[in-house]
């Protein structure tokens, strides 16, 4: 199966300056098709690269996770992913970024919400607007699904990600400021 830009693909955002000719974007973003083997491998490869970094836990995905991840996500109608592709790669474009999302539900709004679960950009492509372009497509898909908001979690030591998310409109939240801001917690099962 080959990889082609489809109608859901979105070119990377590029600003024209001083009347200069618009250059072809260095990357493009699109919703992942879990049934496409190229997309499926890209989801695993980019997530594995992220998992190997300190912010991702410092260990790659296990072989069991690599083998079952995309099929498990494909079985969840609430899951979707956005991939970023290097448009300059010769032959077959290279996946350079990934966002995995899962739909939840806001009881206070009686509407869906979309949780941005993983955001990963390969190190060589950071600082080039890849994450911003992927987040724009996530927001577009969330609006299409009728979501009332996007949620995400970020490690407090990941300052570049915190700045990015704040620039993109994310903020800490509180229902009542007297009670403080919400804190993400977990209990492993």
């Amino acid at each position: 199966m080959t990889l082609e830009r489809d109608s859901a693909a979105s070119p990377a955002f590029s600003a024209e300056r001083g009347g200069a000719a618009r250059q072809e974007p260095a990357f493009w973003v699109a919703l992942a098709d879990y049934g496409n083997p190229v997309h499926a491998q890209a989801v695993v490869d980019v997530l594995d690269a992220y998992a190997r970094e300190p912010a991702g836990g410092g260990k790659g995905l296990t072989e069991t996770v690599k083998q079952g991840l995309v099929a498990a996500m494909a079985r969840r109608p609430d899951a979707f992913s956005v991939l970023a592709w290097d448009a300059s790669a010769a032959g077959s474009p290279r996946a350079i970024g990934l966002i995995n999302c899962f739909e939840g539900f806001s009881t206070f709004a009686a509407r869906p919400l979309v949780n941005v679960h993983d955001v990963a950009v390969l190190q060589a492509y950071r600082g080039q607007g890849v994450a911003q372009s992927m987040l724009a497509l996530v927001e577009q898909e969330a609006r299409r699904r009728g979501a009332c908001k996007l949620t995400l979690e970020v490690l407090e030591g990941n300052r570049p990600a915190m700045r990015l998310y704040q620039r993109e409109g994310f903020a800490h939240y509180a229902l009542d400021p007297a009670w403080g801001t919400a804190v993400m917690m977990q209990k492993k099962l």
Side-chain angles (χ1 to χ4, degrees):
M1 206 170 229
T2 61
L3 175 67
E4 298 176 13
R5 286 192 202 189
D6 61 19
S7 60
S10 168
F13 300 108
S14 62
E16 296 179 11
R17 293 187 180 151
R22 184 180 173 104
Q23 293 183 349
E24 196 54 31
F27 62 90
W28 51 282
V29 301
L31 291 171
D33 173 359
Y34 298 138
N36 179 324
V38 174
H39 288 210
Q41 190 62 53
V43 168
V44 171
D45 290 348
V46 177
L47 189 61
D48 184 54
Y50 168 66
R52 292 175 185 281
E53 294 181 7
K59 295 182 246 173
L61 302 177
T62 66
E63 286 306 313
T64 302
V65 170
K66 288 179 184 179
Q67 296 301 316
L69 175 66
V70 176
M73 290 177 69
R75 288 190 298 270
R76 301 187 60 89
D78 63 334
F80 70 93
S81 300
V82 171
L83 287 164
W85 302 92
D86 181 344
S88 66
S92 180
R94 177 180 185 211
I96 60 171
L98 166 70
I99 296 181
N100 288 321
C101 298
F102 297 90
E103 190 176 302
F105 190 77
S106 170
T107 55
F108 284 16
R111 290 177 50 199
L113 62 83
V114 170
N115 179 257
V116 177
H117 190 71
D118 301 302
V119 179
V121 176
L122 298 182
Q123 193 163 357
Y125 295 88
R126 292 180 186 157
Q128 299 177 34
V130 175
Q132 291 93 328
S133 293
M134 291 191 300
L135 285 167
L137 187 53
V138 166
E139 184 173 333
Q140 179 182 332
E141 177 64 12
R143 288 180 187 281
R144 188 191 70 74
R145 291 171 177 241
C148 63
K149 65 181 173 179
L150 297 174
T151 63
L152 58 75
E153 62 186 77
V154 59
L155 297 172
E156 62 186 342
N158 191 344
R159 303 263 184 248
M162 293 276 275
R163 286 190 300 273
L164 163 69
Y165 301 142
Q166 288 169 343
R167 279 193 315 267
E168 295 301 312
F170 289 87
H172 296 282
Y173 73 94
L175 298 175
D176 179 341
W179 282 88
T181 59
V183 175
M184 173 62 85
M185 300 175 77
Q186 77 170 4
K187 178 180 178 180
K188 292 192 175 191
L189 304 176

